[in-house]
Amino acid sequence: GEGAGVAYVEKLRPVLSEEVKKAVKEAWVSGFRGVDLLVHAYGKALSVATKYSELKALRGNAVEDVIRVAEEAAHEAVLEEVLGNLKLDGPTRFYVLAVRIFGGSLDGDTFLSIARLTASREELKRMRLVEERNGSVAVVDFDKRCDKATSQYYIDQLHRLLCAFVNGGGVSAVQRILSSTSIRIDVVCRLAEVIYGSEWHSERGKEVNSFMYAFCGKQLNKSLLDYT
């Protein structure tokens, strides 16, 4: 049993997850982002796991399993920090994590590790949410996705409304879409704030700000818009 110094990752998972989430939230508030944040998560998970003299997994590799639990818990912690209890679909989770942790640009390995836990690489490319160039992967902003139809994914809904608003349609075009679909404007507004109210500098920030002023009753932090 565990008293003898042997631990199974599967049994440790709840404890690992809780400890990592706590550590990541503290690190997030202290300003950790990108790889630094994930390294913090791995360190915490391994410090908990290595208290045992032997670590085993019922299936697979124990250390790899610990790393995976750490990644999952780190992602959950960041999403809880920026979104509260709003539950998102896979592609939207990917987009928020890519923007908030990595500033919208990821190396190939990091992209695959986030995609593994959110939405497949194939799906993200098919949706044109990412573009790969020179070994790195960047998220695609709404203005390059304006030919995409609305789907059940929140990120598609946000992008469709922004496209309608910016491309000459203004408030009335957005209102038409809202009246004929089940899009929840409260979720769209929260997403817009989380994605565009970050250090990620979208070139369309000022237009997003106008959209938010019209539909969300709030504006983005001005300091994020002062870049030309």
Side-chain angles (χ1 to χ4, degrees):
E2 286 181 7
V6 176
Y8 284 88
V9 177
E10 290 81 1
K11 280 189 175 175
L12 274 183
R13 178 179 275 272
V15 179
L16 281 173
S17 194
E18 208 47 50
E19 290 291 326
V20 170
K21 280 169 89 165
K22 205 159 65 184
V24 167
K25 287 186 179 191
E26 287 169 8
W28 180 266
V29 171
S30 303
F32 282 70
R33 297 291 183 273
V35 175
D36 292 343
L37 191 71
L38 290 183
V39 167
H40 202 72
Y42 300 149
K44 189 64 187 178
L46 290 169
S47 77
V48 173
T50 52
K51 286 178 183 163
Y52 299 89
S53 60
E54 195 177 352
L55 196 61
K56 291 185 173 181
L58 295 174
R59 288 182 303 278
N61 178 301
V63 174
E64 282 175 13
D65 286 356
V66 169
I67 294 293
R68 188 166 295 200
V69 172
E71 283 178 351
E72 287 175 18
H75 296 166
E76 285 301 325
V78 171
L79 290 170
E80 282 175 17
E81 274 299 295
V82 300
L83 287 167
N85 57 6
L86 180 62
K87 294 287 176 259
L88 298 178
D89 55 81
T92 307
R93 283 165 67 94
F94 169 84
Y95 202 93
V96 169
L97 288 166
V99 166
R100 291 307 300 250
I101 301 182
F102 297 98
S105 181
L106 312 89
D107 65 58
D109 290 342
T110 306
F111 167 56
L112 290 176
S113 85
I114 295 189
R116 192 181 69 234
L117 298 170
T118 52
S120 73
R121 173 188 185 177
E122 291 70 29
E123 183 174 27
L124 293 167
K125 287 178 77 171
R126 182 181 55 74
M127 292 174 68
R128 287 215 318 280
L129 280 174
V130 295
E131 52 191 15
E132 296 185 46
R133 42 176 183 241
N134 305 330
S136 72
V137 179
V139 298
V140 175
D141 207 355
F142 74 89
D143 55 337
K144 297 187 179 70
R145 302 184 71 238
C146 286
D147 58 333
K148 302 292 278 181
T150 303
S151 75
Q152 75 274 26
Y153 298 133
Y154 289 132
I155 190 65
D156 282 349
Q157 296 174 6
L158 168 63
H159 283 177
R160 183 180 176 197
L161 294 183
L162 288 172
C163 286
F165 183 77
V166 167
N167 290 339
V171 170
S172 59
V174 174
Q175 284 172 335
R176 276 197 302 279
I177 294 171
L178 290 174
S179 66
S180 63
T181 61
S182 58
I183 293 176
R184 284 178 52 191
I185 192 65
D186 60 322
V187 175
V188 165
C189 285
R190 189 79 194 91
L191 261 189
E193 188 178 11
V194 164
I195 291 169
Y196 294 97
S198 68
E199 293 80 9
W200 180 54
H201 280 171
S202 159
E203 290 170 10
R204 312 305 293 262
K206 290 183 175 164
E207 291 153 316
V208 175
N209 203 40
S210 301
F211 171 87
M212 289 187 64
Y213 184 70
F215 288 96
C216 310
K218 57 172 63 173
Q219 290 180 278
L220 299 173
N221 182 332
K222 283 284 189 287
S223 68
L224 297 169
L225 303 174
D226 295 334
Y227 53 87
T228 43

